[in-house]
Amino acid sequence: MTQLTNQTDGHADGIAADISRQLPQGITPEDLVDFYRRMVTIRTIDERIWMMNRQGKVPIAASGQGHEAAQLGSLLAAEKDGNCFFFPYYRDLSIKMGVGLTPTQVMLSFMGKEGDPYSNARQFPLQGADLEHNVIQTSNVVAAQLTQAVGYALACKMQGDDKVIFVYFGDGASSQGETHEAMNFAGVHKLPVIFICENNAYAISVPQRMQMAIGDVANRAEGYGFPGLIVDGLDLLASYEACREAINHARREGPVMLEMKLERLMPHTTDDDDSRYRPKEEIEAVRGRDPVAAFSNFMLEQGYLTEEQQEEIRAQARRAVNEATDAAEAALPPDASNLHNHVYAP
């Protein structure tokens, strides 16, 4: 896999570190404006969901703040390719909204209301399937999506479908047995899977140094017979470039692992207090590495947007999220008489 190269050897400073580079192959300024809009809307609704939890209106949420650039960079590559399928995990709001879920659909799901597009409010928020947009996340069992994704990839290969499968997981999931089983099987059968480890350095409250004896999760790929690359997951364009090359490799030769080095800006979930295990100085430093702020600065410095245009995009996001919140609050809970639908055969 000669094309793929490591993007960074650790947690990097994000896109703002190199504002003068040329746009990568296949990308236009219009693409970046489009994805900036998505990123701002996603961050705005993520913040609203957290606030609604504090008001007792959202039972639980796992914030994706800090993960947006990695997820949207991979999605940009997948959209340019046009034949990809996604198996995300519970922190992947950017994937689920990026592919087409509306703010109202997201709020309905997090508030447990009728119309939740994944499970009609019968499971954890946005847990289930969105087949219209090629997304499956059937549970929150850590690492379960890896074996499911590999099974889907095997089916595609057997049917002659050249689809490439993206599966996302955290560094904590990389310590699970299903991760080994999935990667071993994919390596043996040379399946078209891209394993994306969103490494924010914490498995809930456990730092990476206490859960594994290696510094880079990507090193494990060699043991399964396929490449493992380290990517600056705070940089949307670096994530795009790595995923574009990974798609080509996965379709021709088999699996790839991309370890996206990034940051979790918020606690593990709304039920967590990260100040109990992260020093105050560390939390402050992490907040200074916000990929949304970095991408915003990049767009201004490159002249892709003016300050006025940026503020209008932010205002549009706030309006959309306000309308979605109002609609979800006014919606009814699912009809209890349908509780057993799709669970028991008639």
Side-chain angles (χ1 to χ4, degrees):
M1 187 172 175
T2 56
Q3 295 93 338
L4 271 176
T5 55
N6 284 347
Q7 302 292 323
T8 176
D9 58 3
H11 284 253
D13 291 330
I15 200 166
D18 183 7
I19 63 171
S20 61
R21 68 187 186 200
Q22 297 294 313
L23 289 182
Q25 178 183 335
I27 295 301
T28 67
E30 290 74 22
D31 292 325
L32 296 188
V33 172
D34 175 21
F35 271 72
Y36 179 72
R37 289 181 186 275
R38 300 190 210 188
M39 180 182 279
V40 170
T41 301
I42 292 162
R43 171 60 64 87
T44 303
I45 203 165
D46 193 306
E47 293 172 342
R48 177 62 55 82
I49 289 165
W50 200 271
M51 183 184 76
M52 297 294 282
N53 168 266
R54 296 313 192 235
Q55 295 177 359
K57 297 176 179 179
V58 166
I60 189 170
S63 174
Q65 294 179 41
H67 289 233
E68 296 99 338
Q71 293 173 28
L72 289 175
S74 70
L75 179 59
L76 178 56
E79 286 190 1
K80 290 292 183 180
D81 176 76
N83 194 20
C84 297
F85 202 99
F86 306 94
F87 283 79
Y89 79 124
Y90 53 80
R91 206 176 299 283
D92 287 342
L93 179 63
S94 292
I95 294 296
K96 295 167 185 175
M97 282 195 73
V99 297
L101 283 191
T102 68
T104 297
Q105 289 175 316
V106 170
M107 292 305 299
L108 287 170
S109 185
F110 275 91
M111 295 179 71
K113 298 297 186 71
E114 184 80 29
D116 164 19
Y118 272 66
S119 70
N120 203 30
R122 284 163 171 76
Q123 298 193 70
F124 194 94
L126 298 183
Q127 179 177 290
D130 178 15
L131 297 181
E132 178 185 354
H133 296 114
N134 290 346
V135 177
I136 292 177
Q137 189 215 322
T138 56
S139 78
N140 277 348
V141 176
V142 175
Q145 70 275 15
L146 280 89
T147 44
Q148 294 161 0
V150 166
Y152 190 94
L154 176 63
C156 289
K157 185 173 182 177
M158 293 173 67
Q159 293 175 355
D161 183 346
D162 70 348
K163 194 177 274 85
V164 171
I165 314 306
F166 281 75
V167 59
Y168 303 79
F169 56 103
D171 50 291
S174 72
S175 299
Q176 296 292 321
E178 284 200 75
T179 302
H180 163 77
E181 294 165 3
M183 292 187 179
N184 187 63
F185 191 92
V188 168
H189 296 281
K190 301 189 183 305
L191 300 180
V193 183
I194 301 174
F195 295 98
I196 296 186
C197 178
E198 299 178 39
N199 187 355
N200 59 35
Y202 277 93
I204 305 180
S205 59
V206 181
Q208 182 177 330
R209 69 180 183 278
M210 296 180 66
Q211 58 168 313
M212 62 187 74
I214 56 174
D216 298 316
V217 178
N219 290 346
R220 292 180 172 170
E222 184 177 359
Y224 304 114
F226 54 82
L229 291 306
I230 300 168
V231 182
D232 180 1
L234 296 173
D235 183 331
L236 185 147
L237 291 180
S239 300
Y240 161 79
E241 291 184 278
C243 289
R244 176 176 57 83
E245 295 177 7
I247 289 170
N248 293 333
H249 177 88
R251 186 168 281 130
R252 293 194 316 267
E253 302 179 47
V256 185
M257 185 201 294
L258 300 179
E259 179 184 2
M260 302 287 192
K261 300 275 193 178
L262 40 75
E263 301 286 3
R264 192 188 78 199
L265 303 188
M266 303 294 285
H268 173 67
T269 68
T270 48
D271 290 347
D272 179 38
D273 178 6
D274 62 349
S275 67
R276 298 177 62 186
Y277 54 86
R278 301 183 84 173
K280 179 180 178 181
E281 297 75 19
E282 179 183 319
I283 294 175
E284 291 175 351
V286 165
R287 297 282 168 80
R289 295 160 54 76
D290 185 340
V292 176
F295 194 52
S296 179
N297 291 337
F298 169 80
M299 295 295 285
L300 285 176
E301 289 163 342
Q302 292 295 321
Y304 299 139
L305 287 174
T306 65
E307 291 185 2
E308 292 76 15
Q309 290 170 323
Q310 279 200 336
E311 183 50 44
E312 177 55 28
I313 287 173
R314 291 168 179 164
Q316 289 172 351
R318 289 192 295 269
R319 288 194 295 270
V321 172
N322 286 341
E323 292 170 1
T325 303
D326 291 343
E329 288 199 271
L332 296 173
D335 186 347
S337 68
N338 297 325
L339 178 63
H340 294 154
N341 285 11
H342 312 298
V343 177
Y344 298 104

